[in-house]
Amino acid sequence: MKREIIKTLDGSTTIHLSEWNESYHSKHGAIQEAKHVFIKNGLALFDNNPVSILEIGFGTGLNAFITFLESQNKKQKINYTGVEAYPVSAEELLAMNYVEELESLEFHNIFEKMHKSEWDKEIEICDLFSLTKRKQFFDEINDFEIFDLIYFDAFGYRVQPELWSTEIFQKMYNSLKPNGVLVTYAARGVVKRSMISVGFTVEKLAGPPGKREMFRAFKKT
């Protein structure tokens, strides 16, 4: 499948899959989307307390890097696990401009360390942030009550509906601790029904730039 690097409307880059007409991030702004969906409506709920995060779709590492920056700004301890079946190539990563766009040149080595670190091994990125990258298909996830927060950032339902199935959301529900939270850019009715069917309480929120709505789901006890 042909892959090309494109710039989104906020100036940050992403990878576009022309055959699917699908991108790793919103064309309206990769960084804006990550901050709105995963930080503002996810991480911010935890009030700087230690948090364990599972990301579904590690991809370019944008969400992980922005979360790392938040941990530094707020002195928040974060244990981050990113699941990815098809890692991004070194050439593509070199073309990503997140460090520059986020004005975080002093952490350029951290972004590189995230991508050069071994798979399937917990790596201490710094005192406040540890990273485990798991090369794994989403349907192989079998964690039980390990995570406080899930960033659900899979490719869209239009191109990969199987990633948004009841079976996958059951795995997400099982992976969360009691009172855990899942956030995603998606807002389709079929996705909401799948979430509710496994036990999530789902709320609809204002979406990031270019998208009217998004979902946040809670594992209520």
Side-chain angles (χ1 to χ4, degrees):
M1 189 179 298
K2 184 182 177 184
R3 301 160 65 91
E4 60 178 331
I5 308 300
I6 64 169
K7 265 196 177 180
T8 65
L9 291 182
D10 68 2
S12 55
T13 50
T14 191
I15 300 171
H16 182 69
L17 309 177
S18 53
E19 186 176 320
W20 284 353
N21 190 27
E22 180 80 354
S23 299
Y24 275 61
H25 310 95
S26 169
K27 291 183 179 180
H28 295 278
I31 287 175
Q32 287 183 142
E33 177 187 48
K35 286 184 173 181
H36 179 88
V37 175
F38 303 113
I39 305 302
K40 178 182 177 181
N41 289 301
L43 184 61
L45 296 181
F46 290 86
D47 286 332
N48 301 348
N49 292 315
V51 59
S52 180
I53 298 173
L54 172 65
E55 181 184 12
I56 300 301
F58 184 76
T60 64
L62 173 59
N63 296 333
F65 186 62
I66 287 179
T67 303
F68 161 79
L69 295 178
E70 287 294 307
S71 78
Q72 299 303 293
N73 290 337
K74 297 182 177 180
K75 307 304 178 190
Q76 183 176 17
K77 180 77 172 176
I78 294 176
N79 186 301
Y80 197 101
T81 298
V83 176
E84 179 62 59
Y86 300 102
V88 172
S89 72
E91 291 76 21
E92 288 170 327
L93 291 171
L94 285 173
M96 296 298 108
N97 66 354
Y98 306 140
V99 175
E100 294 79 11
E101 289 296 312
L102 288 162
E103 299 180 351
S104 301
L105 292 175
E106 71 271 30
F107 294 121
H108 191 276
N109 63 317
I110 297 293
F111 185 72
E112 288 189 348
K113 185 175 181 178
M114 286 180 167
H115 287 288
K116 290 179 178 178
S117 64
E118 290 182 55
W119 288 83
D120 302 306
K121 181 179 179 181
E122 184 175 347
I123 304 296
E124 187 176 275
I125 299 297
C126 70
D127 290 345
L128 290 171
F129 193 95
S130 65
L131 171 67
T132 303
K133 296 185 302 184
R134 293 185 351 202
K135 194 173 181 181
Q136 184 181 37
F137 290 103
F138 303 155
D139 61 4
E140 296 172 338
I141 295 171
N142 287 304
D143 302 297
F144 183 72
E145 296 189 353
I146 291 176
F147 301 103
D148 301 293
L149 174 63
I150 294 175
Y151 295 171
F152 199 90
D153 200 19
F155 283 130
Y157 183 90
R158 177 181 60 84
V159 296
Q160 287 196 305
E162 69 276 10
L163 301 183
W164 303 82
S165 66
T166 300
E167 291 75 18
I168 294 295
F169 283 117
Q170 184 67 66
K171 289 178 177 291
M172 299 300 101
Y173 189 87
N174 294 345
S175 297
L176 283 171
K177 298 174 186 176
N179 299 312
V181 182
L182 181 151
V183 282
T184 183
Y185 64 87
R188 282 179 176 255
V190 65
V191 171
K192 182 178 182 179
R193 290 190 290 273
S194 289
M195 289 177 172
I196 291 172
S197 72
V198 303
F200 279 115
T201 299
V202 182
E203 63 178 348
K204 190 178 289 184
L205 303 172
K211 188 170 178 60
R212 190 173 62 184
E213 298 165 335
M214 60 166 280
F215 286 147
R216 180 164 62 194
F218 297 87
K219 181 177 182 176
K220 300 289 189 180
T221 56

